[in-house]
Each structure stands twice: as structure tokens, then as C-alpha cells.
Amino acid sequence: MTGGQAVPPVEVVEYTDPLCPWAWGSEPVFRGLRTALAGRVRWRRVFCILFDHDDDPAPDPAAETAWYARYVEGIAGHTRAPRALRLSRVAASSWPSSLVAKAAELQGPEVADRVLRRLRETVFVLGEPADTLGAALDAATGVPGLDTRRLAADAASAAVLDGVRADHAEARRPVPEVLPDALSEALSDTLSDPPSGALSGVLSLPGGSPHPGTARETPDGGHRYALPTLVVCGAGGRRVVPGWRPYEVYATAVGAFCPGLPTTPQAPSGAAALARYRSLTEPERALLTRGAWPPPDAVRVETAGGPLWLDPEEADTHPATRQTP
């Protein structure tokens, strides 16, 4: 028991980064999964720091930006996620956005989700990655329920810095199932029912994925998780879902520990979904809503990969609409 409340027996660990294009493309599935699992599991995010302080600076920033924009475009071809009309630069660092995202967790899961979403949208909708503390804090301005002064103080605190440092280290201790030599054999697992007894292994979609999630080698010769990766832990073992996967793969992994989890996400009306999530991409609209679309008061924001739809209250403070004269 913690604070008089029972701690859920199942933990879902999401290895991510606010500025990762594959994590951005996984938002439809993860939003649906988090909604379905609310109150049933402990969901913990680990910020892996995709763009680190010790990364070598690009000798030609303009050429690097052009290359990275093409890279994101290629990923969006698989995920159908929006991408910015113009990318101003490659992010200099993931630390500022990760510190703000970690600090937002101290104000509750709903605020944390909305702040992290705003941080993702800085790069993939606006083309201006939140790679400074000021930019990351500005992106969160206007999030409902957010205490902005507390967010700024917490993001600059030693405790939050220690938390992100711990995330950085944890992300560089991947489980054996996702290491390169183990993954090819582990990926032979399919969506069949899990065996009785101890549970372990990697769940994959038959036929593979454009982003299968093999752990990435680090400059020091170690490895870190590919992003995103989910590790589901419960009594008797764990299941690992690396890379970019459809909803049913995650539902199967979590369902090994939480029987009865629907294999398709909840899909309320478009108006209700937009009010809940505040912003929706076209892939999210297709997966997480039903019925008529768009709601009459939805605010449309154009991107190079299709529209982003904003709830009207979200549009009042969203950086995309704040930039409009």
C-alpha cells in the first residue's frame, strides 16, 4: 500500500524521448493503450535522451537539418504522423524537454501527458524543437491544470535532474531480449497465447516492422533501448515490445498480465475524443474516434503530413496558433 492506495501489480515502462520521431508516430497507439489501462497498471516513462550533450556538433548544420528532415519524412511514410512544413534545425539536446517532461509528472499524470504532447509537437508540428529550457517551458504554457511557476522551479531542481540522469542510465541497461544477438531469435514469437508459468520474450507482429526495435549501440560500446520500447512486468515475468507496433501487439503483451484488455482501443465520438486528448492527428482520429469528423468547432493546423486538429480551448494557448498573427 502507498498512501492508503493499492499499488497496481503490473508495471508498464515506456522508454521514450520527447523529440523522437518513432515515439511521435506511436502516439495514437500509446494514447489508446494508456486510456484502456488507466488505474489497472503503473505506467512509468523513462526519458532516454536521444540527443545528448556529448554528441558531436554537425560540421554543416544546414546539411544535417536537410538530412534529418528527409529522415523524419521517411518515418512519417510508415507512421502517417504529421511532420513540420519546415524544420528549423536538428535538436541540440533532449535534456531540456526531458527535464520539463519529468517535472510535469510531479503535477499528475494528466498534466504530464499534455505537457509531453506539447513538447513533441514543437518539433513535429512547429519545426522548432524544444531544445532549450525556455522553449520547453514556453511550449507547456496554457496546459490545463498546470502550475507554470512550479514547473519552472521543478525543472531546474536537483531532484528532477537526478531523475532524468537516472532515466538516462536505465535506458542504457536494456534487457537481453532486445540486444542484437538475441532479438532475431526472440522475434520468432507471435501473437499466440503466452505459455503458462514464467512469461518472457519479445512480442512482434508477424511479417516484421519497419522499426523492429533492436537496441542501439552507444559511443562507449554499450547499448540503449530503441525508441519507443515498452517493457511490461508482472508476477512471473515480463514482456517486451520494442519499436513501432500496432495496438493489438501491445494489448497482447499487457494482456498476459491483465486479462480482458480489449484488443482494439476505446473510440468515443470525435467531439468527446478531441475534448479528452486536446489535439489529434489523422492517425489518432482514425484509431481513437468514431462517427462524424471533424467536430464543428475543431481548429485545423496544417502540417506537411496532414492536419493536426485542436480542441478550441487548446487552440487558445497552443504554440501553433499563438504563432498565427
Side-chain angles (χ1 to χ4, degrees):
M1 302 286 284
T2 300
Q5 295 182 344
V7 177
V10 178
E11 181 182 60
V12 178
V13 185
E14 175 190 354
Y15 294 89
T16 191
D17 184 284
L19 309 180
C20 171
W22 284 109
W24 168 240
S26 298
E27 281 277 278
V29 166
F30 283 6
R31 280 181 145 186
L33 192 66
R34 285 174 64 83
T35 297
L37 291 171
R40 301 184 63 186
V41 303
R42 178 193 180 210
W43 190 294
R44 180 169 65 90
R45 287 192 178 105
V46 174
F47 297 106
C48 297
I49 310 298
L50 183 61
F51 300 96
D52 212 339
H53 287 322
D54 56 4
D55 291 344
D56 293 331
D60 186 342
E64 182 192 41
T65 299
W67 174 86
Y68 192 70
R70 292 192 299 271
Y71 174 71
V72 171
E73 182 179 3
I75 292 172
H78 295 294
T79 67
R80 300 189 299 114
R83 55 188 176 84
L85 292 166
R86 178 186 174 274
L87 181 65
S88 68
R89 64 189 181 280
V90 178
S93 173
S94 292
W95 281 93
S97 58
S98 297
L99 289 166
V100 169
K102 181 68 71 175
E105 292 179 350
L106 300 175
Q107 298 190 42
E110 188 170 296
V111 166
D113 286 353
R114 289 175 172 175
V115 167
L116 179 56
R117 175 64 175 220
R118 287 277 192 95
L119 293 167
R120 297 197 196 282
E121 289 169 347
T122 64
V123 59
F124 301 112
V125 175
L126 304 175
E128 297 285 344
D131 57 0
T132 68
L133 191 59
L137 291 170
D138 181 68
T141 299
V143 165
L146 176 69
D147 182 332
T148 54
R149 290 187 177 181
R150 179 185 176 188
L151 182 71
D154 287 339
S157 70
V160 167
L161 177 59
D162 287 346
V164 177
R165 283 174 172 166
D167 283 1
H168 182 276
E170 180 180 343
R172 284 150 182 80
R173 297 190 299 270
V175 294
E177 294 97 312
V178 300
L179 293 175
D181 291 340
L183 192 62
S184 59
E185 180 178 352
L187 284 178
S188 62
D189 289 350
T190 66
L191 299 181
S192 58
D193 291 336
S196 59
L199 298 174
S200 65
V202 177
L203 285 187
S204 176
L205 179 69
S209 163
H211 179 44
T214 309
R216 300 291 193 257
E217 189 170 357
T218 54
D220 61 0
H223 289 86
R224 66 158 175 83
Y225 284 102
L227 308 180
T229 292
L230 285 195
V231 178
V232 187
C233 301
R238 68 180 174 225
R239 283 292 175 99
V240 186
V241 190
W244 184 67
R245 308 289 171 183
Y247 180 90
E248 58 267 24
V249 174
Y250 296 102
T252 297
V254 181
F257 306 97
C258 296
L261 183 67
T263 56
T264 56
Q266 300 174 23
S269 70
L274 191 58
R276 172 191 292 171
Y277 294 115
R278 309 283 293 186
S279 72
L280 290 170
T281 65
E282 279 295 295
E284 290 170 333
R285 192 262 322 156
L287 185 68
L288 302 176
T289 76
R290 59 172 174 80
W293 186 267
D297 55 355
V299 177
R300 179 178 177 134
V301 175
E302 298 297 341
T303 81
L308 177 76
W309 299 95
L310 300 179
D311 177 84
E313 291 186 1
E314 178 71 5
D316 286 343
T317 61
H318 195 280
T321 46
R322 277 194 266 137
Q323 290 183 359
T324 302

